[in-house]
Amino acid sequence: MAEGLLVVVSGPSGCGKGTICKELLKRNKDMSISISATTRKPRKGEVDGENYFFLTEEIFKSMINKNEFLEYAHVHGNFYGTPKKFVLEKIENGENVFLEIDVQGALQIKEIYPDGVFIFILPPSMEELKNRIIKRGTESEDDIKRRYKNAFEEVKYIKKYDYLVINDKVIEAVEKIESIISAEKCSVDRQSKLINKILS
Amino acid sequence: MAEGLLVVVSGPSGCGKGTICKELLKRNKDMSISISATTRKPRKGEVDGENYFFLTEEIFKSMINKNEFLEYAHVHGNFYGTPKKFVLEKIENGENVFLEIDVQGALQIKEIYPDGVFIFILPPSMEELKNRIIKRGTESEDDIKRRYKNAFEEVKYIKKYDYLVINDKVIEAVEKIESIISAEKCSVDRQSKLINKILS
């Protein structure tokens, strides 16, 4: 069986990557989403193995030492990371796995798993990005400024990605990502097993 | 405006590339097909500039000398070729151009225009390829054998292509090629102008 794809969907805060991934999962029943591990306490209603894998700091750190993460970060006193085994097992079973992540995490993953499909999402303009961050309304002015500044830092890394999808209308962005997945599966590089079989 | 794509659809005789290209053109009104030049005489009903550009051998040869072909070949005493200007002007105008061609021609084009999207078409098996060549019923047994032998020679070049599309059901192959076109337009490499604008 052909291997599945790891589809890394990334971009600055406010680019709409969360909405896009939700829609992608709704439309593509054969795809799954990567579940992160974290050391933070579960919030009310959060289910272990569904929202997150909730781990103790001891276990998390021992997994770091054993290189068992595709990426991890330490944010506001808690660890967050993507367990390698969970994702790679699905891929080996031919499943496609989505991973929605910030730019720093995506670049870490690329080091470890360059075969992933790396997609950067941006709104039609940086002005629009600012509007979207403001519209969330959940953040203080300082937060908004910080997020906007980070966004400018993050776009510098677009060229490390394979694809840039402009998120003007969500459904169009989703369709573009579906096309990317379909095209990647036709790529000669990803069909070497089949090709070697044909050639033999 | 973004440049159009040159989509080179290629594969051995009997792979179904002709049928696929016809269907692609029917479904994608914004795409055009490259028109070949030839020194052979027009057949009844053939229109200059529509079926072929009909040229004298003198003009054809002078165009060869001026490197005005993306590819050309000498077959059964006649020249056939793809005029560079015709294709590149459309691409510069943002149009996508299909080019249906044999493997030798595709490889020539790749030398001159590596930015093209190179797609290899194969039937689900080499056995099926043989059946399709036989089913045409227009060829002698020698012709069939020759075509089948050529097909085996040609598949050796798959790895020079970007994509391999298995033509089991025509409509699925067509949809895959449409996905490839859509994905290629999202590729970071092809959006460097846009990206430089964002970064500036």
Side-chain angles (χ1 to χ4, degrees):
Chain A
M1 183 174 30
E3 272 196 353
L5 296 176
L6 175 60
V7 182
V8 179
V9 177
S10 181
S13 168
C15 72
K17 57 185 184 294
T19 314
I20 287 173
C21 279
K22 265 189 212 123
E23 192 62 29
L24 276 166
L25 281 173
K26 207 161 57 176
R27 286 162 55 112
N28 297 277
K29 297 297 178 199
D30 58 329
M31 303 198 70
S32 56
I33 195 151
S34 165
I35 297 169
S36 297
T38 182
T39 57
R40 83 152 163 74
K41 296 281 163 287
R43 288 176 195 147
K44 213 184 154 182
E46 282 184 339
V47 179
D48 184 49
E50 199 167 297
N51 303 89
Y52 282 97
F53 296 111
F54 293 101
L55 306 178
T56 63
E57 197 162 311
E58 197 190 339
I59 292 179
F60 203 106
K61 282 183 175 170
S62 95
M63 286 175 69
I64 294 176
N65 289 333
K66 288 185 272 176
N67 290 318
E68 290 180 1
F69 286 109
L70 279 175
E71 58 79 36
Y72 71 92
H74 195 246
V75 185
H76 302 311
N78 292 305
F79 282 102
Y80 295 83
T82 305
K84 214 186 263 182
K85 199 180 160 209
F86 178 81
V87 170
L88 298 189
E89 275 182 0
K90 282 179 186 289
I91 288 171
E92 277 162 28
N93 283 330
E95 264 185 76
N96 301 316
V97 181
F98 279 114
L99 213 156
E100 178 208 335
I101 197 161
D102 62 8
V103 174
Q104 273 184 306
L107 297 179
Q108 278 188 58
I109 294 170
K110 207 184 169 190
E111 289 290 317
I112 293 176
Y113 194 79
D115 282 352
V117 180
F118 294 85
I119 304 175
F120 201 96
I121 311 284
L122 270 184
S125 70
M126 292 307 274
E127 199 51 39
E128 172 65 20
L129 183 69
K130 197 172 184 175
N131 292 339
R132 289 190 194 176
I133 296 174
I134 292 171
K135 259 193 207 153
R136 290 187 168 190
T138 53
E139 276 122 330
S140 69
E141 203 166 320
D142 274 0
D143 266 337
I144 289 170
K145 273 187 192 154
R146 187 180 48 79
R147 280 181 193 273
Y148 193 53
K149 196 169 149 270
N150 281 349
F152 267 90
E153 284 301 310
E154 286 170 345
V155 294
K156 289 183 190 159
Y157 295 98
I158 294 181
K159 289 185 182 175
K160 300 252 181 197
Y161 285 72
D162 303 310
Y163 298 96
L164 167 63
V165 170
I166 303 296
N167 178 19
D168 193 353
K169 290 184 180 137
V170 171
I171 203 68
E172 285 173 14
V174 165
E175 283 170 356
K176 280 178 185 169
I177 294 175
E178 287 169 349
S179 289
I180 289 168
I181 294 166
S182 171
E184 283 283 339
K185 288 191 173 178
C186 293
S187 86
V188 162
D189 292 342
R190 291 190 191 275
Q191 293 186 99
S192 53
K193 271 187 203 163
L194 174 66
I195 292 169
N196 290 335
K197 206 178 130 196
I198 294 167
L199 294 180
S200 71
Chain B
M1 185 173 29
E3 273 196 351
L5 295 177
L6 174 61
V7 182
V8 179
V9 177
S10 181
S13 169
C15 72
K17 57 184 184 293
T19 314
I20 287 173
C21 279
K22 265 188 212 122
E23 192 62 30
L24 275 166
L25 281 173
K26 207 161 55 175
R27 286 162 55 112
N28 298 275
K29 297 295 177 201
D30 56 330
M31 303 197 71
S32 55
I33 198 150
S34 165
I35 297 168
S36 297
T38 182
T39 57
R40 82 154 165 74
K41 295 280 164 287
R43 290 177 193 145
K44 210 182 156 184
E46 282 185 338
V47 179
D48 185 48
E50 200 167 296
N51 303 92
Y52 283 96
F53 297 111
F54 293 101
L55 306 178
T56 63
E57 196 161 314
E58 197 191 340
I59 291 180
F60 203 106
K61 282 182 175 169
S62 95
M63 284 175 70
I64 293 176
N65 291 331
K66 288 186 271 177
N67 290 318
E68 290 180 1
F69 286 108
L70 279 175
E71 59 77 37
Y72 71 92
H74 196 243
V75 186
H76 303 310
N78 292 305
F79 283 101
Y80 295 83
T82 305
K84 215 187 265 184
K85 199 180 160 210
F86 178 80
V87 170
L88 298 189
E89 275 182 1
K90 283 180 186 287
I91 289 172
E92 276 162 28
N93 283 330
E95 264 185 74
N96 300 317
V97 182
F98 279 113
L99 212 157
E100 179 208 334
I101 196 158
D102 62 6
V103 175
Q104 273 183 308
L107 297 179
Q108 277 187 60
I109 294 169
K110 207 184 169 189
E111 289 290 317
I112 293 175
Y113 194 79
D115 281 352
V117 181
F118 294 85
I119 303 175
F120 201 96
I121 311 283
L122 269 184
S125 70
M126 292 308 275
E127 200 49 41
E128 171 66 18
L129 183 69
K130 197 172 185 178
N131 292 339
R132 289 190 194 176
I133 296 174
I134 293 171
K135 261 193 205 151
R136 289 188 169 191
T138 52
E139 277 123 330
S140 69
E141 204 165 321
D142 274 0
D143 266 337
I144 289 171
K145 272 187 193 152
R146 188 180 46 78
R147 279 181 194 271
Y148 193 53
K149 195 170 149 271
N150 281 349
F152 268 90
E153 284 301 311
E154 286 170 344
V155 293
K156 289 182 190 158
Y157 295 98
I158 293 180
K159 289 185 181 175
K160 300 250 181 200
Y161 285 72
D162 302 310
Y163 298 96
L164 166 63
V165 171
I166 303 297
N167 179 19
D168 193 353
K169 292 184 179 137
V170 171
I171 204 68
E172 284 173 15
V174 165
E175 283 171 355
K176 280 176 185 169
I177 294 174
E178 287 169 348
S179 289
I180 290 167
I181 294 166
S182 171
E184 283 283 339
K185 290 192 171 178
C186 293
S187 86
V188 161
D189 292 344
R190 291 192 190 275
Q191 294 187 98
S192 53
K193 271 187 202 161
L194 174 66
I195 292 169
N196 290 334
K197 205 178 130 197
I198 293 167
L199 294 180
S200 70

